[in-house]
Amino acid sequence: MTVLIDTPLWPKHGTVWAHLVSDASIEELQAFARRVGLPPRSFDLDHFDVPVERYDELVAAGAEPVSPRELVARLRRSGLRVTPRERRARSSGSAVDG
C-alpha cells in the first residue's frame, strides 16, 4: 500500500490544504480515506483534499510524506492522474478529445 501526502501549501477556506493520493489504485485511496474518516466530499477525482490540521494524523496512519512535485510525478506514473483538461471536461460534462 502506498498512500502519499504532500506538504500542506494550498490556502483556502481559512486553512492550508494537502493532497492525499495512492500510486496504486483509487480503491486503495478510498479504503485509506474510509479508515481514517475523511469525508467523501473531500475527494476530487484522483485525490483527497485534507486540511493541515489532519496532516500528522494521516502520516501516523501510514501516509508517506512527499513533496508536491513528487506526489504529482508518482500519480502520473501510476496512470491515475486526472489532468486539468480532463478535470474541466468532467465538470462541464463534455468528452475529452484524444
Side-chain angles (χ1 to χ4, degrees):
M1 175 167 113
T2 308
V3 174
L4 311 168
I5 190 167
D6 67 0
T7 309
L9 296 174
W10 317 103
K12 195 156 194 149
H13 306 295
T15 192
V16 182
W17 299 80
H19 301 108
L20 186 75
V21 305
S22 167
D23 67 357
S25 72
I26 295 298
E27 293 78 17
E28 175 185 62
L29 177 61
Q30 294 280 359
F32 183 89
R34 280 191 302 275
R35 184 166 58 85
V36 297
L38 291 178
R41 71 180 177 276
S42 64
F43 182 67
D44 188 12
L45 300 177
D46 61 1
H47 70 275
F48 278 85
D49 293 316
V50 295
V52 66
E53 296 83 8
R54 303 246 1 230
Y55 181 85
D56 290 338
E57 170 196 349
L58 297 175
V59 170
E64 178 185 333
V66 295
S67 71
R69 185 174 296 231
E70 177 70 11
L71 182 133
V72 171
R74 290 176 64 178
L75 193 56
R76 271 193 196 122
R77 282 194 303 266
S78 75
L80 298 173
R81 171 83 166 130
V82 175
T83 66
R85 182 176 180 202
E86 292 168 328
R87 193 172 302 282
R88 285 190 302 276
R90 289 184 188 193
S91 68
S92 69
S94 64
V96 175
D97 296 353

